[in-house]
Amino acid sequence: MHKQLPKEFYPLMQELQAVDFVLLELTLYLDTHPNDQEAVQQFNQFAQVRQQLKYQVEQIYGPLLQYGNSFSGFPWNWNDGPWPWQI
């Protein structure tokens, strides 16, 4: 079943995925260059952007992550989707 979401959902998710990609790349870089202060600052800036985007998405569309990484609305809304493969 494909869940239709408002068109506003997709740009937010695309931005969140782009920020996740930057954080992943910076993590890999910092694993081999731990003393690069500029890279650490960039990582922290993008981590803050990600936290804000995640909060924004979850306030409108529900939790993105499970196991205590996201809060649930009431009633329990983890199963509301969309699941990653539905986007």
Side-chain angles (χ1 to χ4, degrees):
M1 175 198 318
H2 181 71
K3 183 174 183 176
Q4 187 64 31
L5 293 162
K7 64 180 179 170
E8 297 82 14
F9 174 79
Y10 297 97
L12 281 173
M13 284 306 294
Q14 187 175 21
E15 187 175 356
L16 187 60
Q17 290 170 341
V19 169
D20 280 346
F21 178 78
V22 170
L23 286 168
L24 175 62
E25 291 297 312
L26 283 168
T27 297
L28 294 173
Y29 174 80
L30 285 165
D31 283 347
T32 58
H33 301 81
N35 296 319
D36 187 332
Q37 185 176 5
E38 185 177 333
V40 172
Q41 289 173 341
Q42 287 177 343
F43 179 89
N44 289 333
Q45 289 171 340
F46 276 97
Q48 185 174 22
V49 168
R50 190 199 190 285
Q51 185 177 26
Q52 292 167 348
L53 280 170
K54 178 181 174 280
Y55 179 79
Q56 184 180 358
V57 170
E58 290 183 333
Q59 290 302 302
I60 301 168
Y61 303 106
L64 293 171
L65 302 170
Q66 184 44 294
Y67 306 112
N69 291 305
S70 295
F71 291 96
S72 175
F74 185 83
W76 179 256
N77 61 349
W78 175 248
N79 60 346
D80 289 347
W83 297 95
W85 57 87
Q86 294 174 315
I87 298 174

